[in-house]
């Protein structure tokens, strides 16, 4: 799964990387502790080209009457994405890319203490999560919402967690966004083998109020 992440790439650099037209209301960067319900940077495709938009991290199905009417859907399992009522239409019609620099996962010590790890690309490039999105709410409060698609962990990450975000390489972006026709389902499997690395970080990140670049600095495991 993915419950917290970091984004440090400047907004204009993100727009250039994805050849996307940026919205004027993008979240401020850097943010080393992006939490559920925060606005995140999302790339969407369309007839007029790609856009880079701020969407709420926490998918809201159309039948939710309020933002808290049901579970907080920050992740969507690839294995059931096309079947779950909340996600099946979005799986077909509203796939997106969610941009990150790295993400956090937790293990537990023998004493039950939560130990955070920071996971990032070995080459230092941004990470691109596969996502799905949904507009939600009445016109006056309408907002875009999204969830990160997850798969079973690859061999490297399985040492710290059994799930991981579905990570897409640049050659996969057009297919996931629907720009290269059908067949996105073949991308929904564990990947990024040999691409990611991780290290222990300070437990300060256990708090959703923590901030600052110190959150991703390595500490002894």
């Amino acid at each position: 799964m993915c419950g917290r992440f970091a984004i440090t790439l400047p907004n204009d650099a993100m727009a250039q990387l994805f050849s996307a037209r940026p919205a004027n209301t993008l979240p401020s960067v850097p943010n080393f502790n992006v939490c559920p319900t925060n606005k995140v940077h999302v790339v969407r495709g369309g007839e007029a080209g790609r856009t880079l938009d701020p969407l709420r991290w926490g998918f809201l199905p159309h039948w939710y009457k309020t933002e808290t009417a049901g579970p907080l859907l920050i992740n969507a399992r690839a294995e059931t994405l096309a079947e779950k009522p909340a996600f099946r239409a979005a799986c077909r019609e509203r796939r997106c890319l969610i941009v990150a620099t790295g993400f956090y996962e937790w293990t537990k010590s023998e004493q039950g203490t939560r130990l955070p790890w920071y996971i990032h690309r070995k080459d230092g490039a941004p990470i691109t999560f596969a996502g799905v999105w949904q507009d939600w709410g009445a016109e006056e409060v309408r907002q875009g919402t999204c969830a990160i698609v997850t798969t079973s962990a690859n061999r490297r990450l399985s040492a710290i967690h059994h799930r991981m975000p579905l990570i897409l390489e640049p050659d996969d972006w057009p297919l996931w966004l629907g720009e290269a026709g059908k067949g996105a389902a073949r991308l929904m499997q564990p990947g990024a083998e040999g691409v990611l690395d991780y290290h222990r970080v300070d437990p300060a990140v256990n708090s959703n109020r923590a901030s600052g670049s110190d959150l991703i600095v390595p500490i002894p495991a």
Side-chain angles (χ1 to χ4, degrees), residues 47-152:
E47 293 183 1
R50 296 177 184 174
T51 58
L52 178 63
D53 301 308
L55 271 63
R56 175 191 189 267
W57 183 21
F59 189 100
L60 295 172
H62 64 85
W63 61 81
Y64 277 26
K65 299 302 182 184
T66 67
E67 294 183 2
T68 56
L72 181 60
L73 304 176
I74 61 171
N75 294 153
R77 295 175 67 95
E79 298 88 340
T80 57
L81 190 65
E83 305 165 7
K84 292 288 187 180
F87 301 122
R88 62 191 177 200
C91 177
R92 294 191 304 269
E93 305 164 6
R94 295 186 299 277
R95 298 187 299 272
C96 62
L97 308 173
I98 300 171
V99 193
T101 303
F103 61 100
Y104 299 96
E105 198 49 80
W106 282 262
T107 56
K108 283 190 176 181
S109 69
E110 293 180 357
Q111 294 75 33
T113 304
R114 296 180 75 225
L115 305 175
W117 301 79
Y118 181 66
I119 303 157
H120 56 92
R121 290 185 63 108
K122 291 180 179 179
D123 61 8
I127 296 175
T128 305
F129 301 142
V132 289
W133 66 273
Q134 167 80 47
D135 281 337
W136 177 86
E139 284 301 323
E140 61 272 13
V141 293
R142 200 156 184 80
Q143 61 177 313
T145 72
C146 65
I148 295 170
V149 178
T150 66
T151 69
S152 55

Side-chain angles (χ1 to χ4, degrees):
M1 63 175 295
C2 180
R4 213 88 68 75
F5 64 91
I7 177 65
T8 63
L9 193 66
N11 288 333
D12 57 350
M14 267 186 268
Q16 183 175 7
L17 176 64
F18 291 95
S19 300
R21 186 174 68 258
N24 294 325
T25 53
L26 291 170
S28 298
V29 286
N31 184 347
F32 294 91
N33 195 6
V34 180
C35 301
T37 74
N38 287 171
K39 294 294 177 100
V40 297
H41 298 79
V42 175
V43 177
R44 297 186 283 186
E47 293 183 1
R50 296 177 184 174
T51 58
L52 178 63
D53 301 308
L55 271 63
R56 175 191 189 267
W57 183 21
F59 189 100
L60 295 172
H62 64 85
W63 61 81
Y64 277 26
K65 299 302 182 184
T66 67
E67 294 183 2
T68 56
L72 181 60
L73 304 176
I74 61 171
N75 294 153
R77 295 175 67 95
E79 298 88 340
T80 57
L81 190 65
E83 305 165 7
K84 292 288 187 180
F87 301 122
R88 62 191 177 200
C91 177
R92 294 191 304 269
E93 305 164 6
R94 295 186 299 277
R95 298 187 299 272
C96 62
L97 308 173
I98 300 171
V99 193
T101 303
F103 61 100
Y104 299 96
E105 198 49 80
W106 282 262
T107 56
K108 283 190 176 181
S109 69
E110 293 180 357
Q111 294 75 33
T113 304
R114 296 180 75 225
L115 305 175
W117 301 79
Y118 181 66
I119 303 157
H120 56 92
R121 290 185 63 108
K122 291 180 179 179
D123 61 8
I127 296 175
T128 305
F129 301 142
V132 289
W133 66 273
Q134 167 80 47
D135 281 337
W136 177 86
E139 284 301 323
E140 61 272 13
V141 293
R142 200 156 184 80
Q143 61 177 313
T145 72
C146 65
I148 295 170
V149 178
T150 66
T151 69
S152 55
N154 63 26
R155 284 173 294 178
R156 173 68 173 150
L157 293 192
S158 63
I160 57 175
H161 203 275
H162 66 286
R163 301 290 296 177
M164 65 176 284
L166 174 56
I167 294 173
L168 301 177
E169 298 297 326
D171 288 347
D172 300 326
W173 299 346
L175 185 57
W176 186 256
L177 291 175
E179 300 165 346
K182 298 181 179 180
R186 69 175 177 80
L187 301 175
M188 291 193 283
Q189 54 189 330
E193 200 68 69
V195 172
L196 303 176
D197 205 354
Y198 56 81
H199 57 258
R200 273 285 312 281
V201 292
D202 196 290
V205 77
N206 291 356
S207 169
N208 58 14
R209 297 181 180 179
S211 63
S213 59
D214 288 350
L215 296 180
I216 66 171
V217 172
I219 65 171

